[in-house]
Amino acid sequence: MSAENIGQLVVVLVAFGAATALPAWTRAGERVFVPVTTGLLVLAGLLAAVPTSVVVDGRPLTAVLVVLGGLLAVAGGGPVTARVFALVDREDTGSSLDRAGRVLRGGAWIGALERAAIYATLVASWPEGLAVVLALKGLGRYPELRAEGEGTAERFIIGTFTSVLWAAACAAV
């Protein structure tokens, strides 16, 4: 398999990952499509990293890869983060989960914007942008996190780490 073929396969895997990320936003789709989307991202990452040479030939195909990667970063990160929360909150009685949801309003939108910003800074070869994004998010949420107790700060940290790692993985591909 040539370097160009591997590059084309990476683009196709990222496209399928972005396509499976959209139905993962539904309750029914979360259990099925989150593992599929994650598997496609891992496979694309391995294909991009393991061979000595991977070529995405031409500006149009490169632009398509960047756009699809951004879509996968933004759309795929929300359901993945929700799935991680579901695993973490298995033994929660519901009260701390509900309280954290009320305190951290707008989390899905903030997470989507955070993933878009992180993806953009990494693709633009400006890793310092990570610090800017995370500082803005932390400072913006600090008063809410300080005022609340049990579970809220932990959910903020888990959500942020999951979201950042997802966007960084998409940018790495």
Side-chain angles (χ1 to χ4, degrees):
M1 187 178 267
S2 71
E4 290 84 12
N5 291 30
I6 295 172
Q8 292 164 352
L9 184 56
V10 167
V11 172
V12 168
L13 289 171
V14 172
F16 276 118
T20 60
L22 298 176
W25 282 89
T26 64
R27 278 272 184 214
E30 181 181 300
R31 287 186 166 265
V32 173
F33 288 105
V34 167
V36 170
T37 304
T38 305
L40 288 166
L41 178 61
V42 168
L43 187 57
L46 288 173
L47 270 175
V50 171
T52 56
S53 178
V54 176
V55 175
V56 178
D57 196 23
R59 283 187 170 208
L61 193 57
T62 301
V64 166
L65 180 60
V66 169
V67 169
L68 288 172
L71 180 62
L72 180 57
V74 173
V80 168
T81 303
R83 193 74 197 120
V84 169
F85 281 146
L87 294 172
V88 169
D89 295 332
R90 279 189 306 218
E91 298 170 15
D92 194 339
T93 60
S95 62
S96 68
L97 176 62
D98 292 338
R99 187 172 51 252
R102 281 192 306 273
V103 171
L104 300 174
R105 293 178 313 277
W109 283 103
I110 292 169
L113 293 170
E114 169 191 29
R115 287 186 298 278
I118 287 171
Y119 179 81
T121 62
L122 292 176
V123 168
S125 298
W126 186 54
E128 296 84 1
L130 282 170
V132 173
V133 171
L134 295 176
L136 284 172
K137 185 177 180 187
L139 289 172
R141 288 290 198 185
Y142 180 73
E144 297 162 323
L145 294 172
R146 188 162 187 237
E148 282 301 313
E150 180 184 336
T152 305
E154 289 82 3
R155 287 184 65 80
F156 174 80
I157 292 169
I158 290 167
T160 299
F161 279 170
T162 304
S163 195
V164 167
L165 289 172
W166 182 265
C170 290
V173 172

